[in-house]
Structures are given as structure tokens and as C-alpha cells.
Amino acid sequence: MIRDEIIELVGRALHAAQAAGDLPQFAAPEVTVEHPQRTEHGDFSANLALRIQGLAKMKALEVAEALRRHVPAHEAVSEVRVAPPGFLNLYLGAGWLAGQASAIADAGERYASSDRGAGQRIQIEYVSANPTGPIHVGNGRGAAIGSTLANVMVAAGYDVEQEYYVNDAGTQVAIFGRTLYARYQQLFGRDVTVPENGYPGEYVLDVARGIKDQAGDRFLRPEGEEPSAELGQLGIQVMVDHIREDLALMGVEYDRWYSERSLQAEGGAYNRVLDLLRQQKHVVEREGAVWFASSELGESKDNVLIRSDGMPTYYATDIAYHYDKFIERKFDRVIDIWGADHQGHVSRVKAAVAAIGGDPSKLDVLLYQLVALRRGDQAVPLSKRAGEIVTLRDVVEEVGKDATRFFFLLPSANQTMDFDLELAKKQSDENPVYYVQYAHARIAGILAKAVEQGISADGADASLLTHEAEQTLLRKLLLLPEVLETVVDDLGPHHLPHYAQDLASAFHVFYTQCRVIDAENPDLSRARLLLLEAARVVLARTLGLMGVSAPEQM
RNA sequence: GCGCCGGUAGCUCAGUGGAUAGAGCAUCAGUCUUCGGAACUGACGGUCGGGGGUUCGAAUCCCUCCCGGCGCGCCA
């Protein structure tokens, strides 16, 4: 991308200046450039002179001037200036910029893809909500973040595997099984109530009904007896199917659904990992429970692996799961995306990864802060009476997949957010989703009209794209590769919707100022159609990565 | 009490070492005989939570205090 070429140019200028004796010899720091806020400061600005003034024992302005004299010629760069207190400002040439229209249009949907990831195998695990209930609004945020990040990393050349960890074992599942059995018995007229600590939601009754329709009274046992484990597992399966459907409504698809239970099954990683930890003397028994002596590894406390009732904790199976990720499946990198309420879990999982022979620096845990639901000024409680919650499905069905994803992506992950249902639904200028999609539909409309009138971009002379609005739009189009790199480096998908709004804005300005289809100016029309094609490509790509549709009309 | 996250324009948020701190919405004032007005232009609006420090340069890094959210050994 152009930014990296500019960095390269500045680096070469430094070496050339040193070789020519205009600057003294010293080890050069890494060169960085940025986009100045003010356009008169150029397209790229390097602060190198300011940073090396001490090393050079010269005034920053003089260093910058020495650098400027040695910047090699480059087809994209029309001018290099020095500005106080010592910036080196580089300007892109109008002709080169104009030429990018055809380069982008030709790249099509591959535009902004890169091989930065070099095929590195990376696993992204997200949502992974307990299958004991429907997936709720907060999980939706994780879904939007995770799947968007996955899309972008694929575009950046990573070999990505998206995974949902199904907590189909443990206490909560057992409680779900007992709740389900109570509901199941109710369907046969037995006077039983949902257990005290059970799941009061109506959905469990629906699950029971479905099982009764399929299997009749097969799971009914004499009164007072415990339910079969099979019933619970069947119920979990039904819940997982629902979760899969709910996430599919949001455009989220996984490569793999990984069963926690399978870890504990014969040949699963759980026993091997426990043996491994025992061998390494990381395990102590105390108060009837088995503990991971994590405080010896710098953690603030020890953590229970096996409870006094003999059941493994979530933590224990999670260690086994990460053993599977790092040691057995040998992912180069692992990203876990969790709600902020799991924050306390982060350092102990990292400690465990180190203990089992993994490299904790290859584990990134992306935490997102919690979501509150709003309808205008009105707060919407996430859980209503009797265990009923506002589900993700409710939200998607009310405001649509596009608005749901866009709104979840907008704030950075470590910002708590209010999801405003009223705003997300609004078809007005208050709603940024429509602003961006409208830009795409508008372009599609003009392109369709051009086809109608028999005009095309074939043989366009891009060098006619000299209007300020055209050049501003071109600059925005060139930014997408940098945005994708930032998303990958910061694990920050929120940059995408912000960029999308900027891009849409640049297009709308262009549209207002520049007539595209103009019978009086066929050459300019062709050139502008080419620019439109490029803009459409970039807008569609940006929306596509977010999992938001790019409509031809609205 | 300890840990993590946040505090930036009236509201919702970008911006994590650069130049005069940005955007959307809201408010006010404008733009259309032509490709989609779900648009465009301008104005108004800031002690970047407070204080101290580091630096040529701090919203950004360090220290400290205040406020809010989340979490803190047998839930996940």
C-alpha cells in the first residue's frame, strides 16, 4: 500500500543523507508516517527529523531539510516540504491519485486484501454462550466483533478458524437437565415445579414440548427419580441448534462447534492436561478440592480445578481446551473474545497456557464491555420477569441484521454501550447505517442508469479526475488497506464502521458537486463512471467485511 | 480494599507521542429546473474528569485523587 512506500522513501532518504555526509551516522529508529489533520500539511507527514534531532546533534529543521534533499523520486509523490518545527510533509500527485481509480476498480473485491498474515493459522473463538438459554443481546456484540474480525483477518491473509465452544458439561448443564425434566413431567400432568436454582424461562417448556413430540414418554421415569442424562444432552442439543440459527440470522457462521464434554470423554485432553499439571507439581489438594497452584506462577491466588464433589470446574476444562488449541491443534495464534465480566479469567488462563507448554503471548483475549438496551430515552431491562430475557433474535427481528451488526461494531470494544432499538430502526439521517448503505445504492443507481444510456467506463481517461471532490474521494478509497491493517493490529473492528461513514460522506460530496452522466462531456462521464466503479468496490468491500449488506436500491 | 475498563462538544463516540483535538446527531442559518434530498454547505459548541510529573512536543506515557461500569478461590 502507498503508506508503506512512503515509509520506505523516508527511510531511504535518511540513509542517503547519511551516506552523503549531510547527517552523521547513527542507528536509525523505525520510520513512521501519519496523515496530517490539515490538508495543507500534505498526505503524509514524517516526524523522523524531530525524533532524531538529538542523535544528529542538529536542529530539527536542518535535519528535515537534509532528509528532504535526499527523498528519492517516486511516481506518487509530487512534492516534499519541510515545515516547522521539523516535519517532512509529502504530497501525492493529482495524476497519480486519479490513476488509482482504475487500479481499484480492476482489483474489484480483492481490493485491500493482503498477505500480511502469510497464512498463519489463527483461531478465533467467540460468543461461546452457555447452551442453557437463548443467546442474548450482550452475546450479539461478541458475535459482531468476532465475525468481523475473522472476515478482516481472512482478507489480511490469515488462515482463520472460527469456533464456538459449547459448554455442554458441568453444573449449569446438570441444572438445565433437571429443569427440563421438570417441564417435561409437567407436560404429562405431573405436579412438579422447576427446581429452586433452575431456569425459570418459558423456553425450557418449549424444548420439553419438542422432545415430547419427538420421543413421547420415553424419558419419563417413576415419580421422584432423577432424569436420565440423555434427556439433558438432548435438550442441550436443541438449544445449540437454536443458538446456531440465531447467530445465522446475524450472518455469523462457525467452522467448528467444539464440545466441552468431548474434552472429558475417553481420549480427550482433560485427563492428559491434569496429569501434565500434576507432573509439573502445579497441583495441590486442599479442603477436599484440587487446586492449580497458580499463585506460585505469579497469580494473585490459587484456583480450583476439581471441586470437592469431584466435578471439574470450568477453569479446568478451559485449560484442557487451550491445551487442545495450542499443543494439539498447534494454532500459531489464538484469539478469545469474551464479555468484560470474564476479565478475572484472563490472567489465570494465560498462566495455565504457560504451564502446559504454550506461549501465552500468542493468546489474545479481547474483552468487550457490557451492553445496555435502550428504546429512545427508555431503558429496556435485559431480563424481564421470570427469567425471560431480551434475546438476540428479538433484536435482529426488530431492527434487522445490518443495523444490529453496524451498531454493535460502532463503539470500541472497551467502551460500554447502549444499543438504541429506536435509533437502529429509524430510516432517517440520524441513523448511520442508512447513510452508508444509501451511498452504495446511489452509486448502483447511477451505474444502472449509465448502462441504460449505453455509457460505460470503457476506455476512460482517469487523468480527468482532477476535481477536488474527486481527489478527496480517491484519497478515502486508498485508505481501506490501512484501515484493515489497523483493525488487525489493534483487534479493533470499530474502525470499519467509522471508515465506512467517512467514505460514504466523501462520495456524497462528490455526488453533489460532480455530475457523472453528462451527454455534453462523454470523456468526463467515462472517467467519473470509472471512479464510481472504484467507490462501489470499496464501499461494498467495507460493508461486506462488517457483514452488512450493500443494497443496489433502498 | 484490590484488579480491569471507561470519563473528550448539549448527546453518542473517534482520536493512545505531533502541527490550530475530529465526526455523527441535536440546535440555528442556508443549497435543488438535471444522475435517488435517506443528500450537500455554513455557524454554534471543548478547563480532553482534577492535580502533579516526563518530553522539543501530552487527550495519548508516569504518579496521585475523584466519579461510573465490571470482576475478585470450589458459577461460567
Side-chain angles (χ1 to χ4, degrees), chain A residues 316-352:
Chain A
T317 51
D318 215 20
I319 296 172
Y321 183 36
H322 283 83
Y323 179 85
D324 181 74
K325 293 184 188 200
F326 280 103
I327 310 299
E328 310 226 311
R329 284 192 277 169
K330 299 185 170 61
F331 282 108
D332 297 314
R333 214 177 137 195
V334 170
I335 300 176
D336 292 343
I337 301 177
W338 301 339
D341 51 341
H342 288 62
Q343 170 266 126
H345 197 53
V346 176
S347 71
R348 60 175 181 258
V349 166
K350 289 201 174 203

Side-chain angles (χ1 to χ4, degrees), chain A residues 487-534:
Chain A
V487 169
V488 169
D489 290 351
D490 299 357
L491 302 181
H494 69 282
H495 294 292
L496 232 27
H498 285 102
Y499 170 69
Q501 290 181 87
D502 262 9
L503 179 57
S505 171
F507 161 73
H508 285 308
V509 171
F510 158 76
Y511 174 88
T512 305
Q513 297 188 16
C514 301
R515 172 90 198 171
V516 176
I517 297 174
D518 182 357
E520 316 255 307
N521 288 297
D523 289 340
L524 188 58
S525 285
R526 275 196 291 277
R528 285 179 171 170
L529 280 172
L530 181 65
L531 176 57
L532 273 194
E533 187 53 53

Side-chain angles (χ1 to χ4, degrees), chain A residues 239-279:
Chain A
M239 290 307 304
V240 170
D241 287 342
H242 286 163
I243 288 170
R244 198 191 316 256
E245 286 163 19
D246 290 359
L247 288 169
L249 281 181
M250 238 184 93
V252 174
E253 306 265 354
Y254 288 92
D255 298 304
R256 184 163 175 184
W257 294 69
Y258 193 102
S259 159
E260 177 185 1
R261 226 155 68 93
S262 72
L263 286 167
Q264 297 173 53
E266 192 117 2
Y270 173 74
N271 285 320
R272 280 202 298 288
V273 165
L274 226 63
D275 288 346
L276 183 61
L277 292 176
R278 283 206 171 93
Q279 267 171 32

Side-chain angles (χ1 to χ4, degrees), chain A residues 119-123 159-161 329-333:
Chain A
Q120 224 185 84
R121 290 182 61 241
I122 180 158
Q123 191 223 27
D159 180 4
V160 176
E161 186 154 328
R329 284 192 277 169
K330 299 185 170 61
F331 282 108
D332 297 314
R333 214 177 137 195

